[in-house]
Amino acid sequence: MKELTRESVMSAPTGGPLVWHEVDWQRVQRNVRGMQIRIAKACKEGKWRRVKALQRLLTRSRSARLLAVRRVTENQGKRTAGVDRVLWDTPESKQLAAETLKRRGYRPLPLRRVYIPKSNGKERPLGIPTMYDRAMQALYLLALAPVAETRGDPNSYGFRIERSTADAMGQLFVCLAKKASAQWVLEADIKGCFDHINHDWLVQHVPTDRQVLTKWLKAGVVHKGQLQSTEAGTPQGGIISPTLANMALDGLERELQQYLGRTKSGRFKVNVVRYADDFVITGASKEVLENDIRPWVETFLHTRGLQLSGEKTHVVHIDHGFDFLGWNFRKYGGKLLIKPSKKNVQAFYRKVKEIIDANKTAKQENLIRLLNPVLKGWALYHQPVVAKATFSRLDDLIFQAVRKWAKRRHPNKNALWVMEKYFQPIGERSRVFAATVKNEWGDKSVVALYALASTPIERHRKIAGDYNPFDPDMEATGEALRMSRMLNKLKYRKQVASLYTQQKGRCALCKEPVTKETGWHDHHIVYRSQGGDDTLRNRVLLHPVCHAQLHSRGLTVNKPAH
């Protein structure tokens, strides 16, 4: 097998016949990013004719088409088909899609309607576009994202690059933690935001191809074989829908500050923190929020076809607290504490119990492997807040649940026998729900249930409000931020984290960043079937598409120098 280098990948992203597994993804990424940076620069300078010209150029480029197809064939929805039941699961179908992804003659098909359960017992409608429509949305999103990030509100954190719920929480801590901070909070929720956004407003104000946008908005949905028209809203499930919803709400922070003026805004201690369609506004008094701020917000939303939810919108005092993004924010004796909300804790424990109850006859190690990702994921979400007491309480409840699961399997055995069979001492913990298992070589290892209380509480480093991922001056900041956050997610996968650090957060093949969105494959340089071992010196991280490219061409990759 010949060694794979950047120079050996000969397929250019423009011109010539396309072979999917020979695409130079590093060059593709570089072409697209260069154009996106130019779009963001023109947007910042207010040169809208240039923005439009550059967007047109980008959506017609082969590099952007390749990247759009790659996105929809590597994300979580790649195995979910639309109304045409078509999936792009072969290299041939992907390369054909990239060649035929064009605006001329484009007519989107209706979305396939499905319903997913919500935490309050209700159901959320989800619209599933066809693969072709998803790819078209991903293509135009490449051109729209630089504008959305450049024009977005500083403290809008939902569905934006490198922004998260923890950043929104961090900003609220900044706004509320001090003794002189605002004491009142307008806790707001928009009623059916995705379902009611005015189409005319979107077409007039979103800087993208108006004809294509109109076609998406009016495509309709198919539910139980019936075609239903869509007169308002952006369907949840479309790749571009979160960005459209964000752009509809952008201006809530900036325009409110302009309406009040800098002096009045500072005196009233008005701050806006938004995550998608959930937002809170702080204020110095209840009267300011109810008489000045809320009417202005209702007018702002009305022009976009939206309105506040009466049942979920309240003005509360910080001493009584409020829930936001799964956390409870409340001051105790003048000190702000952020804890997991009761509702979030109950939903999590209910999910754990459902897993245990659904696997009454499963092997112990299989039950542990089902539970551990759920436990770790929830614990890491709440890692930046005051959660130790909640973690310990839930550990006790989960211990009782698995002990009951174990006892049920042996009704004729006493409690001591059950404890000795299913629980064992590990480190300082005397009773851990754990199983001893053998691997294919006969080596023994212990699979133990993850303890929530073992999660260290770590303060989250909030992203700067003016961060723009398409600003070259902020590239180093973004790189460091992305690496630190990925390593935080990988802290319980030490070997993967070590590989990620060695490779400086980049794919060993294409040298582009490895992120949560791209995913990764843990590749053995010398295959185990050929005598390769599992040590870190024989492994590298690759993007899934790069891994497929490597195997299809019979190539190898070397361990990066560090």
Side-chain angles (χ1 to χ4, degrees):
M1 293 191 295
K2 58 182 177 178
E3 183 183 342
L4 181 60
T5 63
R6 182 160 57 159
E7 290 73 22
S8 70
V9 184
M10 302 302 295
S11 176
T14 54
L18 170 68
V19 179
W20 185 258
H21 281 321
E22 295 185 0
V23 173
D24 182 349
W25 289 109
Q26 188 174 14
R27 184 176 174 184
V28 165
Q29 296 270 13
R30 188 171 65 242
N31 289 348
V32 171
R33 178 157 180 83
M35 193 69 73
Q36 288 178 319
I37 289 172
R38 291 171 65 188
I39 292 171
K41 184 174 183 289
C43 176
K44 192 174 182 179
E45 294 170 351
K47 298 177 180 178
W48 293 106
R49 291 183 68 179
R50 182 165 176 76
V51 168
K52 189 174 181 180
L54 290 170
Q55 285 182 319
R56 190 184 304 116
L57 197 61
L58 179 59
T59 55
R60 292 178 181 180
S61 71
R62 179 186 274 188
S63 291
R65 287 185 276 123
L66 284 166
L67 213 53
V69 172
R70 175 176 166 176
R71 173 172 179 177
V72 302
T73 54
E74 288 187 11
N75 62 15
Q76 290 183 341
K78 63 183 179 182
R79 295 186 181 89
T80 306
V83 292
D84 61 355
R85 302 294 176 181
V86 172
L87 292 175
W88 296 341
D89 49 10
T90 64
E92 293 76 21
S93 61
K94 294 173 187 177
Q95 68 188 46
L96 179 63
E99 291 286 19
T100 58
L101 208 61
K102 295 177 182 177
R103 176 186 185 278
R104 187 172 182 180
Y106 171 61
R107 289 192 65 182
L109 292 176
L111 290 82
R112 182 163 68 92
R113 171 76 83 209
V114 296
Y115 288 88
I116 57 175
K118 295 171 66 174
S119 59
N120 60 4
K122 298 180 181 179
E123 290 185 322
R124 175 184 286 112
L126 196 66
I128 301 174
T130 64
M131 292 295 289
Y132 194 92
D133 293 335
R134 272 178 255 176
M136 283 292 286
Q137 289 188 17
L139 176 63
Y140 279 84
L141 181 57
L142 288 172
L144 184 60
V147 180
E149 288 292 341
T150 304
R151 294 176 61 189
D153 284 334
N155 293 302
S156 158
Y157 297 99
F159 305 114
R160 292 181 64 186
I161 300 170
E162 298 300 343
R163 296 183 181 232
S164 65
T165 53
D167 290 308
M169 177 271 296
Q171 178 61 22
L172 271 176
F173 183 86
V174 170
C175 296
L176 296 169
K178 294 179 181 178
K179 194 171 184 179
S181 296
Q183 298 295 303
W184 292 88
V185 174
L186 173 63
E187 180 191 3
D189 182 83
I190 300 170
K191 188 175 182 180
C193 178
F194 279 84
D195 297 327
H196 296 105
I197 298 176
N198 185 282
H199 284 179
D200 293 336
W201 190 95
L202 283 174
V203 172
Q204 291 296 320
H205 292 88
V206 174
T208 190
D209 189 303
R210 291 184 177 182
Q211 288 188 13
V212 174
L213 178 57
T214 302
K215 288 177 181 178
W216 286 331
L217 296 174
K218 302 297 184 184
V221 296
V222 173
H223 181 54
K224 295 182 178 179
Q226 298 293 317
L227 177 63
Q228 302 169 1
S229 62
T230 46
E231 301 302 325
T234 61
Q236 294 186 62
I239 286 176
I240 205 168
S241 294
T243 302
L244 294 178
N246 253 343
M247 296 190 79
L249 295 174
D250 277 334
L252 180 65
E253 181 179 358
R254 283 199 174 101
E255 292 180 26
L256 178 57
Q257 299 285 355
Q258 291 171 6
Y259 165 73
L260 293 172
R262 182 176 296 181
T263 304
K264 198 174 180 181
S265 179
R267 189 169 74 250
F268 289 162
K269 301 176 183 177
V270 174
N271 297 282
V272 181
V273 179
R274 179 170 67 84
Y275 188 91
D277 58 338
D278 293 327
F279 62 93
V280 295
I281 303 177
T282 66
S285 69
K286 187 175 184 179
E287 291 71 31
V288 166
L289 291 173
E290 287 188 338
N291 301 331
D292 290 346
I293 307 298
R294 181 165 179 166
W296 183 90
V297 170
E298 288 174 340
T299 303
F300 174 88
L301 295 176
H302 180 73
T303 60
R304 293 151 173 78
L306 302 171
Q307 58 180 326
L308 292 174
S309 168
E311 61 185 47
K312 296 181 181 179
T313 301
H314 313 282
V315 175
V316 296
H317 194 275
I318 191 63
D319 288 348
H320 292 105
F322 64 95
D323 290 349
F324 186 60
L325 303 176
W327 292 300
N328 179 260
F329 297 75
R330 184 177 174 183
K331 274 190 173 178
Y332 298 82
K335 183 176 181 180
L336 179 68
L337 296 182
I338 306 171
K339 303 178 181 181
S341 69
K342 285 185 180 179
K343 185 179 177 181
N344 186 273
V345 170
Q346 289 169 354
F348 166 71
Y349 182 63
R350 190 161 53 243
K351 183 176 181 179
V352 171
K353 281 284 289 176
E354 286 171 357
I355 294 173
I356 295 171
D357 293 342
N359 291 275
K360 290 176 180 176
T361 59
K363 289 184 178 180
Q364 184 185 10
E365 58 265 32
N366 292 342
L367 177 63
I368 292 170
R369 289 185 176 117
L370 285 172
L371 287 172
N372 276 354
V374 177
L375 299 176
K376 288 179 183 178
W378 189 82
L380 285 176
Y381 183 84
H382 293 289
Q383 186 178 38
V385 303
V386 183
K388 273 293 185 184
T390 304
F391 287 167
S392 297
R393 188 172 73 252
L394 280 168
D395 275 337
D396 289 341
L397 290 172
I398 294 168
F399 174 83
Q400 299 297 337
V402 293
R403 187 172 69 172
K404 184 178 178 182
W405 174 91
K407 176 62 179 166
R408 179 188 174 279
R409 298 162 73 90
H410 305 281
N412 298 324
K413 298 290 184 180
N414 61 42
L416 181 61
W417 185 94
V418 172
M419 290 295 294
E420 289 178 347
K421 179 173 176 60
Y422 291 96
F423 297 80
Q424 54 185 282
I426 297 178
E428 297 179 354
R429 300 167 63 198
S430 59
R431 298 181 300 176
V432 180
F433 188 67
T436 302
V437 297
K438 290 183 180 180
N439 62 19
E440 54 188 305
W441 297 284
D443 299 326
K444 291 184 178 180
S445 62
V446 176
V447 178
L449 189 68
Y450 180 73
L452 298 173
S454 68
T455 308
I457 303 300
E458 295 179 2
R459 182 79 175 268
H460 177 77
R461 181 186 167 196
K462 190 186 85 68
I463 197 168
D466 62 352
Y467 173 72
N468 186 342
F470 300 104
D471 185 342
D473 294 336
M474 298 183 181
E475 192 148 358
T477 302
E479 188 92 356
L481 184 69
R482 187 182 68 250
M483 276 202 68
S484 67
R485 291 188 174 183
M486 273 292 288
L487 286 171
N488 187 52
K489 290 181 182 298
L490 295 172
K491 65 172 58 178
Y492 297 109
R493 303 179 66 176
K494 293 182 179 178
Q495 292 192 347
V496 175
S498 180
L499 292 172
Y500 185 84
T501 303
Q502 289 174 16
Q503 296 173 207
K504 298 179 180 178
R506 294 181 176 270
C507 171
L509 177 56
C510 73
K511 313 303 182 199
E512 290 298 316
V514 173
T515 66
K516 185 177 68 172
E517 288 73 27
T518 64
W520 63 85
H521 185 90
D522 190 344
H523 171 71
H524 288 71
I525 299 171
V526 178
Y527 304 154
R528 279 175 290 187
S529 60
Q530 297 174 1
D533 57 29
D534 278 328
T535 59
L536 293 182
R537 64 175 177 269
N538 189 45
R539 290 156 58 191
V540 291
L541 297 182
L542 302 173
H543 290 132
V545 70
C546 294
H547 182 252
Q549 186 180 72
L550 183 144
H551 280 283
S552 71
R553 301 188 62 201
L555 305 166
T556 61
V557 63
N558 287 332
K559 187 79 174 176
H562 55 98

